[in-house]
């Protein structure tokens, strides 16, 4: 039997850090990543046969849980008929119709293959449609790793962005402005688009404060800027209509990913029909993709969406609420200060006493060393959470009450090991 440490050693020789996406390398929690062999429902098993209740769920892409039969069947059926053509197919039309029908104001979209690609294309669209160059994003919001958006900032005022990554030139971020989350920024008519995660889910979970999203809507309207909701996490997870219907605030442009692929690579960006007229072949904004609207990916996406009726969201929210209060009780019961922020079915986890509202506050809690201790205690007890303090906890439709109870019990044990060793 191959072991996690053997695979990690071999992986590190052929892939940077042994991984294909950096957080998977366990740098911020220590130890050796569990190399997953298979998953089913709420559970995953690593190559050594260790079983975990999984709250990573591919960072939210697997909203039904792993290896859900409707997804397997859809992908199998699609594969038999050919996996890619470079021509339009019926499933692309169906998936686009399904999305447009659910999200208020979304009239047309383009399917791409990742959230990064969606955000990159949406920014290009916004610049093309407005004829303006500058874009604004919020510190601690993540929009994938396209150069112009690969900036976090973290100051308390809006400022010229500097990138967090080597290889991103000053020129590539020269038109990016970064502002603190949860404060409506001053805009002027140089801004093409304001990009926001309507619920920040990449700095732990940070909810929008009342009036923030509506304030952005008004600020954008005042100067003719477009408002972009990056719904790569929130889309079809918060609600059937995503953040747009959950908060009843109307953006101009959307990005989607994760849930809409049913566990396969899909992203999308969209807008009104009028704004989407700018996209080639109708208009001058170029954007394309060999595997865009891929038959397997759209089959999986359609299968996932077919399960997401109103009752699915009630179930997700009910389970998230149960888990949030159970975790809070178990961890505080062990004498450890914890916050389990919740927005609909989305949960976060911070060790501290005051819920963060922006990146600076979130970072202070994320870097206090406690998440790492808790994470390790949870892994030992068969619970898989994201191997870093900046991610959300993803409850899927496959998590049962029993799974949640086992998780809460594990949390009580893991919390007992948190705190003392901080020094
Ligand atoms: C995951 C994520 C992205 C990037 O999506 P990828 O498919 O990883 O490229 C963009 N925006 C948000 C809000 C995300 O959570």
């Amino acid at each position: 039997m191959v072991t996690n440490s053997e695979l990690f050693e071999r992986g590190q020789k052929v892939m940077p850090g042994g991984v294909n996406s950096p957080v998977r390398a366990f740098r911020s929690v220590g130890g050796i990543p569990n190399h997953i062999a298979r998953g089913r429902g709420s559970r995953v098993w690593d190559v050594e046969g260790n079983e975990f209740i999984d709250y990573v769920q591919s960072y939210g892409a697997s909203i039904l849980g792993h290896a859900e039969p409707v997804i397997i069947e859809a992908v199998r059926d699609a594969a038999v008929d050919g996996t890619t053509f470079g021509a339009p197919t019926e499933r692309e039309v169906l998936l686009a119709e399904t999305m447009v029908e659910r999200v208020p104001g979304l009239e047309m979209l383009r399917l791409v293959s990742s959230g990064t690609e969606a955000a990159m294309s949406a920014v290009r669209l916004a610049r093309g449609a407005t004829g303006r160059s500058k874009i604004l994003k919020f510190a601690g919001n993540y929009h994938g790793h396209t150069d112009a958006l690969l900036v976090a900032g973290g100051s308390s005022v809006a400022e010229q962005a500097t990138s967090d990554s080597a290889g991103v030139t000053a020129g590539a971020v020269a038109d990016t402005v970064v502002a603190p989350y949860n404060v409506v920024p001053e805009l002027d008519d140089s801004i093409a688009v304001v990009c926001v995660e309507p619920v920040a889910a990449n700095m732990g979970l940070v909810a929008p404060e009342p009036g923030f999203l509506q304030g952005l809507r008004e600020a954008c309207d005042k100067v003719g800027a477009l408002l972009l909701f990056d719904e790569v996490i929130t889309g079809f997870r918060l609600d059937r209509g995503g953040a747009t219907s959950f908060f009843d605030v109307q953006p101009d442009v959307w990005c989607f990913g994760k849930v809409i692929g049913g566990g396969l690579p899909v992203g999308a960006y969209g807008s009104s029909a009028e704004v989407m007229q700018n996209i080639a072949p109708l208009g001058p904004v170029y954007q394309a993709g060999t595997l865009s609207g891929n038959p397997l990916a759209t089959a999986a996406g359609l299968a996932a969406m077919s399960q997401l009726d109103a009752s699915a969201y009630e179930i997700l929210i009910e389970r998230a609420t149960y888990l949030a209060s159970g975790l809070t009780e178990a961890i505080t019961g062990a004498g450890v200060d914890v916050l389990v922020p919740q927005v609909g079915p989305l949960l976060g986890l911070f060790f501290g006493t005051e819920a963060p509202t922006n990146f600076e506050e979130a970072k202070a809690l994320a870097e206090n060393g406690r998440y790492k201790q808790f994470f390790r205690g949870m892994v030992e007890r068969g619970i898989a959470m994201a191997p870093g303090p900046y991610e959300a906890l993803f409850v899927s439709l496959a998590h049962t009450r029993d799974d949640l109870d086992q998780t809460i019990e594990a949390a009580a044990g893991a919390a007992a090991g948190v705190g003392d060793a901080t020094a």
Side-chain angles (χ1 to χ4, degrees):
M1 181 182 71
V2 69
T3 62
N4 288 309
S5 58
E6 182 196 331
L7 277 181
F8 195 39
E9 220 162 274
R10 280 166 51 198
Q12 285 174 288
K13 291 193 179 124
V14 288
M15 296 175 287
V19 293
N20 285 309
S21 198
V23 74
R24 298 178 196 169
F26 274 40
R27 284 288 173 93
S28 50
V29 291
I32 291 167
N34 304 89
H35 288 59
I36 303 303
R38 66 192 177 88
R40 180 156 293 267
S42 62
R43 311 269 167 153
V44 291
W45 289 264
D46 70 12
V47 290
E48 297 174 12
N50 300 306
E51 179 175 341
F52 301 92
I53 301 173
D54 183 30
Y55 293 95
V56 182
Q57 295 290 339
S58 197
Y59 295 95
S62 302
I63 196 167
L64 307 185
H66 299 294
E68 180 58 35
V70 293
I71 305 262
I72 297 172
E73 216 169 285
V75 171
R76 190 178 281 151
D77 286 351
V80 170
D81 289 331
T83 56
T84 181
F85 304 110
T89 58
E90 183 177 6
R91 288 189 197 88
E92 294 165 84
V93 178
L94 291 171
L95 184 55
E97 284 175 346
T98 302
M99 293 169 65
V100 162
E101 182 256 311
R102 293 183 196 193
V103 178
L106 176 68
E107 293 175 344
M108 290 180 95
L109 58 84
R110 262 283 162 79
L111 296 174
V112 293
S113 298
S114 71
T116 294
E117 224 185 323
M120 177 187 78
S121 310
V123 164
R124 188 182 303 145
L125 167 65
R127 285 171 162 163
T130 59
R132 301 175 181 183
S133 305
K134 290 214 181 288
I135 61 179
L136 185 141
K137 80 172 284 287
F138 294 96
N141 279 190
Y142 180 65
H143 304 294
H145 61 90
T146 187
D147 283 6
L149 289 167
L150 199 55
V151 296
S155 84
S156 53
V157 291
E159 62 176 359
Q160 169 62 48
T162 49
S163 175
D164 292 334
S165 171
V168 176
T169 62
V173 296
D175 288 321
T176 305
V177 177
V178 183
Y181 195 70
N182 267 326
V183 179
V184 177
E186 287 286 331
L187 302 178
D188 60 38
D189 65 6
S190 69
I191 300 284
V193 62
V194 171
C195 308
V196 67
E197 278 188 78
V199 179
N202 287 285
M203 48 169 155
L205 194 81
V206 175
E209 297 204 317
F212 175 56
L213 297 174
Q214 187 57 43
L216 293 181
R217 177 68 278 169
E218 286 156 17
C220 285
D221 286 344
K222 221 177 274 174
V223 298
L226 300 179
L227 178 61
L228 185 159
F229 276 6
D230 180 345
E231 296 226 46
V232 171
I233 283 185
T234 55
F236 309 101
R237 175 171 291 271
L238 283 185
D239 191 62
R240 248 173 94 82
T244 309
S245 55
F246 192 84
F247 294 110
D248 195 22
V249 175
Q250 183 71 52
D252 304 294
V253 185
W254 290 260
C255 291
F256 299 100
K258 297 188 173 122
V259 166
I260 63 164
L264 272 81
V266 186
Y269 68 98
S271 186
S272 64
E274 187 194 343
V275 170
M276 291 302 278
Q277 301 302 308
N278 288 283
I279 299 294
L282 302 181
V285 177
Y286 188 73
Q287 181 273 318
T290 301
L291 293 177
S292 292
N294 175 264
L296 302 191
T298 47
L302 279 168
M305 297 286 271
S306 75
Q307 306 300 298
L308 297 175
D309 55 13
S311 73
Y313 295 99
E314 280 166 28
I315 292 167
L316 285 171
I317 290 172
E318 187 264 317
R319 288 179 195 168
T321 306
Y322 183 80
L323 183 61
S325 65
L327 287 176
T328 307
E329 211 168 292
I331 298 169
T332 12
V336 175
D337 290 329
V338 74
L339 298 155
V340 186
Q342 178 180 2
V343 182
L346 279 170
L347 297 180
L349 188 68
F350 289 109
F351 291 95
T353 51
E354 216 164 306
T357 61
N358 60 36
F359 189 40
E360 282 191 351
E361 293 168 6
K363 202 150 95 178
L365 295 186
E367 301 297 339
N368 68 13
R370 300 197 160 188
Y371 185 86
K372 170 182 180 164
Q373 297 169 332
F374 184 70
F375 172 91
R376 296 180 68 101
M378 291 296 266
V379 170
E380 280 164 21
R381 290 167 177 79
I383 311 294
M385 306 190 310
Y390 291 99
E391 317 293 340
L393 282 169
F394 293 99
V395 175
S396 77
L397 284 169
H399 285 82
T400 62
R401 180 60 69 97
D402 195 42
D403 290 330
L404 305 180
D405 286 332
Q406 282 183 50
T407 306
I408 292 161
E409 193 186 323
V418 170
D420 307 335
T422 311

